Short mmCIF file of all heavy atoms in Angstrom, two decimals:
data_model
loop_
_atom_site.label_atom_id
_atom_site.label_comp_id
_atom_site.label_asym_id
_atom_site.label_seq_id
_atom_site.Cartn_x
_atom_site.Cartn_y
_atom_site.Cartn_z
N ASP A 1142 -5.15 -45.39 10.65
CA ASP A 1142 -4.17 -46.49 10.53
C ASP A 1142 -4.54 -47.48 9.45
O ASP A 1142 -4.31 -48.67 9.59
CB ASP A 1142 -4.07 -47.22 11.92
CG ASP A 1142 -3.58 -46.32 12.99
OD1 ASP A 1142 -3.05 -45.25 12.68
OD2 ASP A 1142 -3.76 -46.64 14.18
N PHE A 1143 -5.11 -47.01 8.34
CA PHE A 1143 -5.52 -47.93 7.31
C PHE A 1143 -4.36 -48.67 6.73
O PHE A 1143 -3.28 -48.12 6.44
CB PHE A 1143 -6.25 -47.17 6.19
CG PHE A 1143 -6.86 -48.05 5.17
CD1 PHE A 1143 -8.01 -48.76 5.46
CD2 PHE A 1143 -6.24 -48.25 3.93
CE1 PHE A 1143 -8.60 -49.61 4.55
CE2 PHE A 1143 -6.83 -49.10 2.99
CZ PHE A 1143 -8.01 -49.79 3.30
N GLY A 1144 -4.54 -49.97 6.54
CA GLY A 1144 -3.51 -50.82 5.93
C GLY A 1144 -2.73 -51.62 6.96
O GLY A 1144 -1.93 -52.52 6.60
N THR A 1145 -2.92 -51.33 8.24
CA THR A 1145 -2.12 -52.03 9.32
C THR A 1145 -2.93 -53.21 9.88
O THR A 1145 -2.35 -54.01 10.61
CB THR A 1145 -1.75 -51.08 10.40
OG1 THR A 1145 -2.91 -50.54 11.02
CG2 THR A 1145 -0.90 -49.92 9.87
N GLY A 1146 -4.22 -53.25 9.68
CA GLY A 1146 -5.06 -54.27 10.32
C GLY A 1146 -5.47 -55.32 9.36
O GLY A 1146 -4.78 -55.66 8.39
N TYR A 1147 -6.64 -55.89 9.57
CA TYR A 1147 -7.13 -56.95 8.71
C TYR A 1147 -8.39 -56.47 7.95
O TYR A 1147 -9.43 -57.12 7.94
CB TYR A 1147 -7.50 -58.19 9.59
CG TYR A 1147 -8.24 -57.87 10.87
CD1 TYR A 1147 -9.60 -57.87 10.92
CD2 TYR A 1147 -7.54 -57.60 12.03
CE1 TYR A 1147 -10.27 -57.59 12.09
CE2 TYR A 1147 -8.18 -57.34 13.23
CZ TYR A 1147 -9.58 -57.32 13.26
OH TYR A 1147 -10.23 -57.02 14.41
N SER A 1148 -8.24 -55.33 7.37
CA SER A 1148 -9.37 -54.71 6.64
C SER A 1148 -9.74 -55.50 5.40
O SER A 1148 -8.94 -56.22 4.78
CB SER A 1148 -9.03 -53.31 6.24
OG SER A 1148 -7.93 -53.27 5.41
N SER A 1149 -11.02 -55.43 5.08
CA SER A 1149 -11.52 -56.08 3.90
C SER A 1149 -12.15 -54.97 3.01
O SER A 1149 -12.90 -54.13 3.52
CB SER A 1149 -12.57 -57.12 4.29
OG SER A 1149 -13.34 -57.47 3.12
N LEU A 1150 -11.85 -54.98 1.71
CA LEU A 1150 -12.39 -53.96 0.85
C LEU A 1150 -13.93 -54.09 0.77
O LEU A 1150 -14.61 -53.09 0.58
CB LEU A 1150 -11.81 -54.11 -0.58
CG LEU A 1150 -10.32 -53.82 -0.65
CD1 LEU A 1150 -9.86 -53.91 -2.06
CD2 LEU A 1150 -9.98 -52.42 -0.07
N SER A 1151 -14.45 -55.31 0.93
CA SER A 1151 -15.93 -55.43 0.94
C SER A 1151 -16.54 -54.73 2.13
O SER A 1151 -17.65 -54.21 2.02
CB SER A 1151 -16.26 -56.94 0.93
OG SER A 1151 -15.84 -57.54 2.15
N TYR A 1152 -15.84 -54.67 3.26
CA TYR A 1152 -16.32 -53.96 4.43
C TYR A 1152 -16.09 -52.47 4.28
O TYR A 1152 -16.92 -51.67 4.64
CB TYR A 1152 -15.64 -54.45 5.69
CG TYR A 1152 -16.19 -55.80 6.17
CD1 TYR A 1152 -15.28 -56.82 6.52
CD2 TYR A 1152 -17.51 -56.09 6.27
CE1 TYR A 1152 -15.75 -58.03 6.98
CE2 TYR A 1152 -17.98 -57.27 6.73
CZ TYR A 1152 -17.09 -58.31 7.04
OH TYR A 1152 -17.55 -59.48 7.48
N LEU A 1153 -14.97 -52.11 3.66
CA LEU A 1153 -14.61 -50.71 3.53
C LEU A 1153 -15.68 -49.98 2.76
O LEU A 1153 -16.03 -48.82 3.09
CB LEU A 1153 -13.25 -50.59 2.83
CG LEU A 1153 -12.74 -49.14 2.62
CD1 LEU A 1153 -12.60 -48.42 3.97
CD2 LEU A 1153 -11.42 -49.11 1.88
N LYS A 1154 -16.17 -50.55 1.70
CA LYS A 1154 -17.19 -49.87 0.89
C LYS A 1154 -18.53 -49.73 1.64
O LYS A 1154 -19.35 -48.91 1.29
CB LYS A 1154 -17.38 -50.56 -0.45
CG LYS A 1154 -18.06 -51.90 -0.36
CD LYS A 1154 -18.24 -52.54 -1.72
CE LYS A 1154 -18.98 -53.88 -1.65
NZ LYS A 1154 -19.16 -54.48 -2.99
N ARG A 1155 -18.69 -50.56 2.69
CA ARG A 1155 -19.94 -50.50 3.46
C ARG A 1155 -19.86 -49.54 4.64
O ARG A 1155 -20.85 -49.02 5.12
CB ARG A 1155 -20.34 -51.85 4.02
CG ARG A 1155 -20.72 -52.87 2.92
CD ARG A 1155 -20.92 -54.24 3.51
NE ARG A 1155 -21.84 -54.23 4.64
CZ ARG A 1155 -21.84 -55.17 5.61
NH1 ARG A 1155 -21.00 -56.17 5.56
NH2 ARG A 1155 -22.72 -55.10 6.57
N ILE A 1156 -18.66 -49.29 5.13
CA ILE A 1156 -18.48 -48.39 6.32
C ILE A 1156 -18.71 -46.97 5.90
O ILE A 1156 -17.99 -46.48 4.99
CB ILE A 1156 -17.10 -48.62 6.96
CG1 ILE A 1156 -16.95 -50.06 7.42
CG2 ILE A 1156 -16.91 -47.63 8.17
CD1 ILE A 1156 -15.57 -50.39 7.96
N PRO A 1157 -19.59 -46.24 6.47
CA PRO A 1157 -19.91 -44.90 6.02
C PRO A 1157 -18.92 -43.81 6.52
O PRO A 1157 -19.22 -43.01 7.41
CB PRO A 1157 -21.31 -44.64 6.62
CG PRO A 1157 -21.32 -45.45 7.91
CD PRO A 1157 -20.47 -46.69 7.58
N ILE A 1158 -17.75 -43.82 5.98
CA ILE A 1158 -16.68 -42.89 6.40
C ILE A 1158 -16.49 -41.82 5.37
O ILE A 1158 -16.98 -41.96 4.23
CB ILE A 1158 -15.37 -43.59 6.66
CG1 ILE A 1158 -14.97 -44.41 5.41
CG2 ILE A 1158 -15.42 -44.51 7.88
CD1 ILE A 1158 -13.56 -45.08 5.46
N HIS A 1159 -15.83 -40.74 5.75
CA HIS A 1159 -15.54 -39.63 4.85
C HIS A 1159 -14.04 -39.62 4.41
O HIS A 1159 -13.77 -39.12 3.35
CB HIS A 1159 -15.84 -38.29 5.55
CG HIS A 1159 -17.25 -38.12 5.94
ND1 HIS A 1159 -17.78 -38.62 7.13
CD2 HIS A 1159 -18.31 -37.59 5.26
CE1 HIS A 1159 -19.07 -38.34 7.25
NE2 HIS A 1159 -19.42 -37.70 6.10
N SER A 1160 -13.18 -40.16 5.24
CA SER A 1160 -11.73 -40.11 4.91
C SER A 1160 -11.01 -41.32 5.40
O SER A 1160 -11.49 -42.02 6.35
CB SER A 1160 -11.12 -38.82 5.50
OG SER A 1160 -11.18 -38.82 6.90
N VAL A 1161 -9.84 -41.59 4.77
CA VAL A 1161 -9.01 -42.71 5.13
C VAL A 1161 -7.60 -42.17 5.43
O VAL A 1161 -7.06 -41.39 4.66
CB VAL A 1161 -8.89 -43.71 3.97
CG1 VAL A 1161 -7.86 -44.79 4.27
CG2 VAL A 1161 -10.24 -44.34 3.71
N LYS A 1162 -7.07 -42.56 6.57
CA LYS A 1162 -5.73 -42.08 6.97
C LYS A 1162 -4.68 -43.17 6.71
O LYS A 1162 -4.87 -44.31 7.16
CB LYS A 1162 -5.76 -41.66 8.43
CG LYS A 1162 -6.79 -40.58 8.74
CD LYS A 1162 -6.70 -40.07 10.17
CE LYS A 1162 -5.54 -39.10 10.33
NZ LYS A 1162 -5.56 -38.47 11.67
N ILE A 1163 -3.65 -42.83 5.97
CA ILE A 1163 -2.57 -43.74 5.67
C ILE A 1163 -1.63 -43.74 6.85
O ILE A 1163 -1.08 -42.72 7.27
CB ILE A 1163 -1.78 -43.28 4.41
CG1 ILE A 1163 -2.80 -43.08 3.26
CG2 ILE A 1163 -0.77 -44.33 3.98
CD1 ILE A 1163 -2.14 -42.34 2.09
N ASP A 1164 -1.41 -44.92 7.42
CA ASP A 1164 -0.57 -45.03 8.61
C ASP A 1164 0.88 -44.54 8.39
O ASP A 1164 1.44 -44.73 7.30
CB ASP A 1164 -0.54 -46.55 9.06
CG ASP A 1164 0.13 -46.70 10.42
OD1 ASP A 1164 -0.45 -46.26 11.42
OD2 ASP A 1164 1.29 -47.20 10.42
N ARG A 1165 1.40 -43.96 9.39
CA ARG A 1165 2.74 -43.36 9.35
C ARG A 1165 3.82 -44.41 8.97
O ARG A 1165 4.87 -44.04 8.44
CB ARG A 1165 3.10 -42.66 10.62
CG ARG A 1165 3.33 -43.57 11.83
CD ARG A 1165 3.66 -42.77 13.08
NE ARG A 1165 2.60 -41.86 13.44
CZ ARG A 1165 2.76 -40.56 13.41
NH1 ARG A 1165 3.90 -40.02 13.04
NH2 ARG A 1165 1.79 -39.75 13.82
N SER A 1166 3.55 -45.66 9.28
CA SER A 1166 4.57 -46.68 9.01
C SER A 1166 4.84 -46.82 7.51
O SER A 1166 5.86 -47.29 7.07
CB SER A 1166 4.11 -48.05 9.58
OG SER A 1166 2.92 -48.48 8.98
N PHE A 1167 3.83 -46.43 6.68
CA PHE A 1167 4.01 -46.47 5.23
C PHE A 1167 4.58 -45.17 4.67
O PHE A 1167 5.02 -45.12 3.52
CB PHE A 1167 2.68 -46.77 4.54
CG PHE A 1167 2.05 -48.08 5.01
CD1 PHE A 1167 0.80 -48.09 5.54
CD2 PHE A 1167 2.76 -49.25 4.93
CE1 PHE A 1167 0.22 -49.25 5.99
CE2 PHE A 1167 2.17 -50.46 5.37
CZ PHE A 1167 0.90 -50.44 5.91
N ILE A 1168 4.49 -44.10 5.51
CA ILE A 1168 4.94 -42.78 5.01
C ILE A 1168 6.45 -42.60 5.31
O ILE A 1168 7.16 -41.95 4.50
CB ILE A 1168 4.15 -41.68 5.72
CG1 ILE A 1168 2.66 -41.83 5.41
CG2 ILE A 1168 4.64 -40.30 5.25
CD1 ILE A 1168 2.28 -41.77 3.92
N THR A 1169 6.96 -43.16 6.39
CA THR A 1169 8.34 -42.91 6.82
C THR A 1169 9.32 -43.20 5.71
O THR A 1169 10.26 -42.42 5.44
CB THR A 1169 8.67 -43.78 8.05
OG1 THR A 1169 7.79 -43.39 9.09
CG2 THR A 1169 10.10 -43.55 8.49
N ASP A 1170 9.17 -44.30 5.00
CA ASP A 1170 10.11 -44.73 3.93
C ASP A 1170 9.49 -44.68 2.57
O ASP A 1170 9.90 -45.42 1.67
CB ASP A 1170 10.69 -46.09 4.24
CG ASP A 1170 11.59 -46.15 5.45
OD1 ASP A 1170 12.35 -45.19 5.65
OD2 ASP A 1170 11.50 -47.12 6.24
N ILE A 1171 8.52 -43.80 2.40
CA ILE A 1171 7.76 -43.80 1.13
C ILE A 1171 8.63 -43.42 -0.04
O ILE A 1171 8.34 -43.85 -1.19
CB ILE A 1171 6.53 -42.85 1.23
CG1 ILE A 1171 5.55 -43.13 0.11
CG2 ILE A 1171 7.00 -41.37 1.23
CD1 ILE A 1171 4.22 -42.34 0.25
N THR A 1172 9.72 -42.72 0.16
CA THR A 1172 10.61 -42.32 -0.97
C THR A 1172 11.80 -43.28 -1.08
O THR A 1172 12.66 -43.11 -1.93
CB THR A 1172 11.14 -40.91 -0.77
OG1 THR A 1172 11.82 -40.81 0.49
CG2 THR A 1172 10.00 -39.88 -0.78
N ARG A 1173 11.83 -44.29 -0.18
CA ARG A 1173 12.98 -45.22 -0.21
C ARG A 1173 12.57 -46.71 -0.34
O ARG A 1173 13.35 -47.54 -0.69
CB ARG A 1173 13.83 -45.10 1.09
CG ARG A 1173 14.43 -43.71 1.27
CD ARG A 1173 15.46 -43.71 2.40
NE ARG A 1173 14.81 -43.99 3.70
CZ ARG A 1173 14.39 -42.99 4.47
NH1 ARG A 1173 14.45 -41.74 4.08
NH2 ARG A 1173 13.80 -43.26 5.63
N SER A 1174 11.31 -46.99 -0.01
CA SER A 1174 10.82 -48.33 -0.04
C SER A 1174 9.72 -48.54 -1.07
O SER A 1174 8.65 -47.90 -0.97
CB SER A 1174 10.30 -48.77 1.34
OG SER A 1174 9.55 -49.94 1.28
N VAL A 1175 9.97 -49.39 -2.07
CA VAL A 1175 8.96 -49.59 -3.09
C VAL A 1175 7.70 -50.23 -2.49
O VAL A 1175 6.58 -49.95 -2.92
CB VAL A 1175 9.50 -50.48 -4.25
CG1 VAL A 1175 9.89 -51.86 -3.77
CG2 VAL A 1175 8.50 -50.54 -5.36
N GLU A 1176 7.87 -51.09 -1.47
CA GLU A 1176 6.71 -51.74 -0.78
C GLU A 1176 5.85 -50.69 -0.14
O GLU A 1176 4.62 -50.68 -0.28
CB GLU A 1176 7.18 -52.76 0.19
CG GLU A 1176 7.87 -53.97 -0.43
CD GLU A 1176 9.35 -53.76 -0.67
OE1 GLU A 1176 9.86 -52.64 -0.34
OE2 GLU A 1176 10.02 -54.68 -1.21
N ASP A 1177 6.47 -49.76 0.66
CA ASP A 1177 5.71 -48.76 1.36
C ASP A 1177 5.04 -47.81 0.33
O ASP A 1177 3.87 -47.41 0.53
CB ASP A 1177 6.58 -47.94 2.27
CG ASP A 1177 7.00 -48.77 3.52
OD1 ASP A 1177 6.42 -49.86 3.72
OD2 ASP A 1177 7.93 -48.38 4.23
N ALA A 1178 5.77 -47.43 -0.66
CA ALA A 1178 5.23 -46.52 -1.71
C ALA A 1178 4.00 -47.19 -2.42
O ALA A 1178 2.99 -46.53 -2.62
CB ALA A 1178 6.27 -46.17 -2.71
N THR A 1179 4.14 -48.45 -2.73
CA THR A 1179 3.05 -49.18 -3.41
C THR A 1179 1.80 -49.20 -2.55
O THR A 1179 0.67 -48.97 -3.01
CB THR A 1179 3.50 -50.61 -3.76
OG1 THR A 1179 4.63 -50.57 -4.58
CG2 THR A 1179 2.38 -51.36 -4.43
N ILE A 1180 1.94 -49.52 -1.25
CA ILE A 1180 0.81 -49.55 -0.32
C ILE A 1180 0.19 -48.21 -0.19
O ILE A 1180 -1.03 -48.06 -0.28
CB ILE A 1180 1.24 -50.08 1.04
CG1 ILE A 1180 1.64 -51.56 0.92
CG2 ILE A 1180 0.07 -50.00 2.06
CD1 ILE A 1180 2.26 -52.14 2.19
N ALA A 1181 1.02 -47.15 -0.01
CA ALA A 1181 0.46 -45.78 0.12
C ALA A 1181 -0.33 -45.36 -1.09
O ALA A 1181 -1.40 -44.81 -1.04
CB ALA A 1181 1.55 -44.79 0.44
N LEU A 1182 0.23 -45.62 -2.26
CA LEU A 1182 -0.43 -45.28 -3.50
C LEU A 1182 -1.71 -46.04 -3.71
O LEU A 1182 -2.70 -45.52 -4.26
CB LEU A 1182 0.51 -45.49 -4.70
CG LEU A 1182 1.77 -44.59 -4.75
CD1 LEU A 1182 2.53 -44.78 -6.06
CD2 LEU A 1182 1.46 -43.14 -4.48
N ALA A 1183 -1.70 -47.32 -3.29
CA ALA A 1183 -2.92 -48.11 -3.37
C ALA A 1183 -4.01 -47.52 -2.54
O ALA A 1183 -5.21 -47.50 -2.93
CB ALA A 1183 -2.63 -49.55 -2.97
N VAL A 1184 -3.67 -47.12 -1.27
CA VAL A 1184 -4.66 -46.52 -0.38
C VAL A 1184 -5.24 -45.24 -1.03
O VAL A 1184 -6.47 -44.97 -0.99
CB VAL A 1184 -4.06 -46.25 1.01
CG1 VAL A 1184 -5.07 -45.50 1.88
CG2 VAL A 1184 -3.62 -47.54 1.61
N ILE A 1185 -4.32 -44.40 -1.59
CA ILE A 1185 -4.78 -43.16 -2.20
C ILE A 1185 -5.78 -43.49 -3.36
O ILE A 1185 -6.78 -42.83 -3.53
CB ILE A 1185 -3.61 -42.36 -2.71
CG1 ILE A 1185 -2.76 -41.85 -1.52
CG2 ILE A 1185 -4.06 -41.20 -3.56
CD1 ILE A 1185 -1.42 -41.22 -1.91
#
């Protein structure tokens, strides 16, 4: 659910994870909403 909480990039680089999941709320309208598309592309 990345992008839906109060994440901090400074913490993200410290958390020893392998993958980041883009929340479905940004995918549903990714081809119709510039805001959702921008957030999804930023996460990628």
